[in-house]
Amino acid sequence: MVSRKTIDIEWGDCDPAQIVHFPRYFAYFDACTTALFKKAGLSKQKMLKTYHIAGIPLVDVRASFMAPSRFSDTVTVESEITEWRRSSFCVRHRLFNKNVLAVECFETRVWAVHSALDEERIESQPVPQEVIMKFSRGRNLSQVRKNARRKRP
Amino acid sequence: MVSRKTIDIEWGDCDPAQIVHFPRYFAYFDACTTALFKKAGLSKQKMLKTYHIAGIPLVDVRASFMAPSRFSDTVTVESEITEWRRSSFCVRHRLFNKNVLAVECFETRVWAVHSALDEERIESQPVPQEVIMKFSRGRNLSQVRKNARRKRP
Amino acid sequence: MVSRKTIDIEWGDCDPAQIVHFPRYFAYFDACTTALFKKAGLSKQKMLKTYHIAGIPLVDVRASFMAPSRFSDTVTVESEITEWRRSSFCVRHRLFNKNVLAVECFETRVWAVHSALDEERIESQPVPQEVIMKFSRGRNLSQVRKNARRKRP
Amino acid sequence: MVSRKTIDIEWGDCDPAQIVHFPRYFAYFDACTTALFKKAGLSKQKMLKTYHIAGIPLVDVRASFMAPSRFSDTVTVESEITEWRRSSFCVRHRLFNKNVLAVECFETRVWAVHSALDEERIESQPVPQEVIMKFSRGRNLSQVRKNARRKRP
C-alpha cells in the first residue's frame, strides 16, 4: 500500500535562501505517515483510542535532499511501510517535485504506550497484528512481513 | 571547537504525546549550527555577506532519538564540525537532557552559492580555507582536516 | 471573491493540551491569503516577479479563538479581502470546524517593495489597480472599493 | 512584575523576504508568557500539576508589527500581566530590536481545565488567588487588580 499526498509549498515553509527550510520537510513527512495510516483505516485519533497508544514516535530518521523546492511549488510525497519489526516499523517517503525525486526520507518508528508504572514514561510494545494486516490486501501476515523486508532500503 | 547551546523546551515544541515533536529538534540543530559558526566568528548575516553564499543547506541528515524531552526541560546541545570535505562539511549535534544523551544528529551541509547562470539555482562551491581555519586554533589546515577525519562518526 | 481552503489538522500542529497550538493558526491563515491571491490569478511566485514586491507582510493582526480544533479534524477556512486601502488591504479568515465558527482572524497587510535606497529596507507602495481588479468580477474599481468598505469589520 | 526574554532570531524563523515570518512571533510570545509565569515561580510543568489545568489557551490576540527583524538580530521581549479578570487575564508583550519597539502583542488567555463531564472538552475556571498573588510583591490582591486595570491597554 502506497499513500500519495500532494503538498503546496508555502511561503512560510521557505527560508531566506528562498527554499524549503529542511525541518519543515519532517513536518510534511510526519503528516504523510499519518495519511498512510489513515488510508489503511487508522486515523490518528482512532488509532490512539483503539490501541491506547501514546503515539508512534521516531527512534531514527535519515533524509537525503537531492533538489530544493520553493514556495508556489506543488510536490507529491509517496509513502509506504518498508518493514514491520516486532515493536517498530520503517516508513519510506519520497518527495517528487515535477517528477524529480527531490527528497527521500526513512523513518523508524515505535508503537509506544504510556508506561503502566509511570504515566510520564513511554515504552514500546509489539505492533498488533491487526494493524499490520490493515496494510496488506488479501495477503497473509508472513507474506506481508516477507515483502516488506525485501523492499527494505 | 565545540559550541554549547542551552535550549528551553517550549510548550509549543511538544505534541499531544507531551514530548518534543521531532521536526522541532531539527530547528534546534539548525540554530546550533548557526551558533557554532558564530562562535568561530561567522554570524549567519556576516557569512552570507562576506562570502556571497546563499546559505549552507543540508544534503543529508540522520538522527537517533534515544530519550524524549518535555516542556519545562532545559537541554544542552554540543555541536562540532566532524569533517571538512571540498565543498561540504559534517556537523555532529548531541543533545543532553539531565546529562543523558537524548538525541544525536549528523548533518552534511554544502557551501552553496546562487548560480551565476540562473539566480534561482543553487550550486555548491569549495569551502574557503579561511573559513575552515576559523575552526582551528593555532593548528595548520592539514592538521584540522586530519583531526576532523579522525572524529568522523 | 471568497476562497475556501480545507486543512487537515496535523498531530504536529497540536500541543500537550491536545489542541492546535495557536501560532499554527496564523501559518494556516498565511497560506489561506496565498490561496486567495492564487484564486485571483496571482500565485505568490508570479506576484513577486510581476510586481517586483518583497511580499505582503502584516502590519496588524487580530484573532478570536471561539472553539479548539484537534488532530484528525478537518477544517475549512473562508478568506476574503474586506477592504482595499491605498497601500494596504484587509483580509478576513473564518475557520469552521464541523460548521461551527472556531477562529476568526483579521489581517492588515501592506504591498511592500525593497527600498531603492537600501535593499535591506522594506517600504509600502500603492497596490496596483490591476491587482485590485483581479478580485472583482465584471465590476468597476470604485464599486469594488465601495463594496469592500461596506464589509469592513 | 515584568519579565525580559532575549531571543536570537534564527534563519529558520525568517521567510524569503528575509524577515521574521509573523507566526513565529506568536511562538516567541507564547514562550515569553511561559517565562513570565516561571519568573513568578510557576513553571509550566509545575503549574499544570499543581492546579490540574489543561493549559492557559488564548481566546483573543492582537499584534502590531512596526518594524521587521532579521536573522542574526537579537531582540528583547518585555512581558507583563496587564489585567486579571475572573477566569481570564491579559498579557502584553513588547518586542524591542536595538531599542526600537518592533512588535507589540496583547494576549487574552483563560485558565482552562479539562471538563469533568467530558475529558476532551476544555472549560475556563476562576484563576486561583494564590496565582495572582505570585505576580504581586508585598501588595494585597485588591491593589494588584487595581494596578493591573490601570495599565490596561
Side-chain angles (χ1 to χ4, degrees):
Chain A
M1 186 189 303
V2 177
S3 166
R4 273 176 198 78
K5 195 170 156 64
T6 299
I7 296 170
D8 291 320
I9 306 289
E10 298 297 343
W11 173 260
D13 293 339
C14 298
D15 64 21
Q18 317 279 326
I19 62 176
V20 173
H21 187 56
F22 80 97
R24 286 300 298 156
Y25 283 118
F26 293 104
Y28 296 169
F29 295 141
D30 194 55
C32 289
T33 296
T34 300
L36 175 60
F37 274 79
K38 193 176 181 181
K39 193 177 177 184
L42 293 163
S43 82
K44 192 105 183 184
Q45 196 73 261
K46 187 182 167 186
M47 195 159 67
L48 268 63
K49 282 185 186 169
T50 308
Y51 302 104
H52 306 288
I53 54 173
I56 46 171
L58 277 90
V59 284
D60 221 276
V61 68
R62 58 193 172 90
S64 297
F65 306 93
M66 277 80 83
S69 290
R70 293 177 171 77
F71 61 93
S72 298
D73 284 356
T74 298
V75 299
T76 306
V77 181
E78 290 184 7
S79 308
E80 62 183 314
I81 306 283
T82 52
E83 187 180 359
W84 291 104
R85 298 173 187 166
R86 200 178 123 78
S87 55
S88 69
F89 56 95
C90 303
V91 190
R92 179 176 60 187
H93 303 286
R94 286 183 296 181
L95 183 149
F96 295 91
N97 192 343
K98 297 178 197 74
N99 297 315
V100 172
L101 179 60
V103 186
E104 193 166 28
C105 175
F106 299 93
E107 302 175 340
T108 305
R109 290 174 177 267
V110 288
W111 193 260
V113 295
H114 288 293
S115 165
L117 298 172
D118 178 357
E119 175 66 16
E120 289 240 324
R121 292 197 52 207
I122 282 174
E123 54 191 31
S124 67
Q125 218 176 45
V127 185
Q129 297 217 349
E130 68 180 83
V131 168
I132 299 173
M133 288 309 293
K134 281 180 187 290
F135 286 83
S136 73
R137 295 237 168 106
R139 288 178 297 173
N140 65 38
L141 191 62
S142 67
Q143 277 179 318
V144 174
R145 289 194 187 271
K146 219 178 288 167
N147 288 345
R149 214 167 295 136
R150 237 172 258 146
K151 278 190 228 167
R152 192 173 179 174
Chain B
M1 187 191 300
V2 176
S3 165
R4 272 175 199 81
K5 194 170 157 63
T6 299
I7 296 170
D8 291 320
I9 306 289
E10 297 296 343
W11 173 260
D13 293 339
C14 298
D15 65 21
Q18 317 280 326
I19 62 177
V20 174
H21 187 57
F22 81 97
R24 286 300 298 157
Y25 283 118
F26 294 104
Y28 296 169
F29 296 141
D30 194 56
C32 289
T33 296
T34 300
L36 175 61
F37 274 80
K38 193 175 181 183
K39 192 177 177 183
L42 292 163
S43 82
K44 193 105 183 184
Q45 196 74 260
K46 186 182 169 186
M47 194 158 68
L48 268 63
K49 282 186 187 170
T50 308
Y51 302 104
H52 306 288
I53 54 172
I56 45 171
L58 277 90
V59 284
D60 220 277
V61 70
R62 58 192 171 91
S64 296
F65 306 94
M66 277 81 82
S69 290
R70 292 175 172 81
F71 60 93
S72 299
D73 284 356
T74 297
V75 299
T76 306
V77 181
E78 289 183 7
S79 308
E80 61 183 313
I81 305 283
T82 52
E83 187 181 359
W84 291 104
R85 296 174 188 165
R86 200 178 123 76
S87 54
S88 68
F89 56 94
C90 303
V91 190
R92 178 176 60 189
H93 303 286
R94 287 184 295 182
L95 184 151
F96 295 90
N97 192 344
K98 297 178 197 77
N99 297 315
V100 173
L101 179 60
V103 186
E104 193 167 27
C105 176
F106 300 93
E107 303 175 339
T108 305
R109 290 172 178 267
V110 287
W111 193 260
V113 296
H114 289 292
S115 165
L117 297 171
D118 178 358
E119 175 67 15
E120 288 240 323
R121 292 197 52 208
I122 283 174
E123 54 192 31
S124 67
Q125 217 176 46
V127 186
Q129 297 216 349
E130 68 179 83
V131 168
I132 300 173
M133 287 310 292
K134 282 179 187 292
F135 286 84
S136 72
R137 295 239 167 102
R139 288 177 297 173
N140 64 40
L141 191 63
S142 67
Q143 277 180 318
V144 174
R145 289 195 188 270
K146 219 178 289 167
N147 287 345
R149 217 167 295 137
R150 235 173 257 145
K151 277 190 227 166
R152 194 173 178 174
Chain C
M1 187 191 301
V2 176
S3 166
R4 272 175 199 79
K5 195 171 157 63
T6 299
I7 296 169
D8 291 321
I9 305 290
E10 298 297 342
W11 173 260
D13 293 339
C14 298
D15 65 21
Q18 317 279 327
I19 61 176
V20 174
H21 187 57
F22 81 98
R24 286 300 299 156
Y25 282 118
F26 293 104
Y28 295 169
F29 295 140
D30 194 54
C32 289
T33 296
T34 300
L36 175 61
F37 274 80
K38 193 176 182 183
K39 192 178 178 184
L42 293 164
S43 82
K44 193 105 184 184
Q45 197 74 260
K46 186 182 168 186
M47 195 158 69
L48 267 63
K49 282 185 186 169
T50 308
Y51 301 105
H52 307 289
I53 54 173
I56 45 170
L58 277 90
V59 285
D60 221 275
V61 69
R62 57 192 173 90
S64 296
F65 307 93
M66 276 81 82
S69 290
R70 293 176 170 79
F71 60 93
S72 299
D73 284 355
T74 298
V75 299
T76 306
V77 181
E78 289 184 8
S79 308
E80 61 183 314
I81 305 282
T82 52
E83 185 180 1
W84 291 105
R85 297 173 186 164
R86 202 178 120 78
S87 55
S88 69
F89 55 95
C90 303
V91 190
R92 178 176 60 187
H93 304 285
R94 286 183 295 180
L95 185 149
F96 295 90
N97 192 342
K98 297 178 197 73
N99 298 314
V100 173
L101 179 60
V103 186
E104 192 166 29
C105 176
F106 299 93
E107 302 175 340
T108 305
R109 291 173 177 267
V110 287
W111 193 260
V113 296
H114 289 292
S115 165
L117 298 172
D118 177 358
E119 177 66 15
E120 289 239 324
R121 291 196 53 207
I122 283 174
E123 55 191 30
S124 67
Q125 218 176 45
V127 186
Q129 297 216 349
E130 69 180 81
V131 168
I132 300 173
M133 287 310 293
K134 282 180 187 290
F135 287 83
S136 73
R137 296 237 167 106
R139 289 177 296 172
N140 65 39
L141 190 64
S142 67
Q143 277 179 319
V144 174
R145 289 195 187 271
K146 219 179 288 168
N147 287 345
R149 215 167 293 137
R150 239 173 254 146
K151 279 192 227 165
R152 192 172 179 173
Chain D
M1 187 191 300
V2 177
S3 166
R4 272 177 199 79
K5 194 170 158 62
T6 299
I7 296 169
D8 290 321
I9 305 289
E10 298 296 343
W11 174 260
D13 293 339
C14 298
D15 64 21
Q18 318 279 326
I19 61 176
V20 174
H21 187 56
F22 80 96
R24 286 299 300 156
Y25 283 119
F26 293 105
Y28 296 169
F29 296 141
D30 195 55
C32 289
T33 296
T34 299
L36 175 61
F37 274 79
K38 193 175 182 182
K39 192 177 178 185
L42 293 164
S43 81
K44 193 103 183 185
Q45 196 75 260
K46 185 181 169 186
M47 194 159 68
L48 267 62
K49 283 187 185 168
T50 308
Y51 301 105
H52 307 287
I53 54 173
I56 45 171
L58 276 91
V59 285
D60 221 277
V61 69
R62 57 192 173 90
S64 297
F65 307 93
M66 277 81 82
S69 290
R70 293 176 170 79
F71 61 93
S72 299
D73 284 355
T74 298
V75 299
T76 306
V77 181
E78 289 183 7
S79 308
E80 61 183 313
I81 306 282
T82 51
E83 186 181 0
W84 290 105
R85 298 174 186 165
R86 201 179 122 77
S87 55
S88 69
F89 56 95
C90 303
V91 190
R92 177 176 62 187
H93 303 286
R94 286 183 295 181
L95 185 149
F96 295 90
N97 192 343
K98 296 178 197 76
N99 297 316
V100 173
L101 179 60
V103 186
E104 192 167 28
C105 176
F106 299 93
E107 303 174 340
T108 305
R109 291 172 176 267
V110 287
W111 192 259
V113 296
H114 288 291
S115 165
L117 299 171
D118 178 358
E119 176 67 13
E120 289 240 324
R121 292 196 52 207
I122 283 174
E123 54 191 32
S124 67
Q125 218 177 45
V127 186
Q129 298 217 348
E130 69 179 82
V131 168
I132 300 173
M133 288 310 292
K134 282 179 188 290
F135 286 83
S136 72
R137 295 237 168 105
R139 289 178 296 173
N140 65 39
L141 191 63
S142 68
Q143 277 179 318
V144 173
R145 289 195 188 269
K146 218 178 290 170
N147 287 345
R149 215 167 296 136
R150 238 173 255 145
K151 278 189 229 168
R152 195 174 178 172

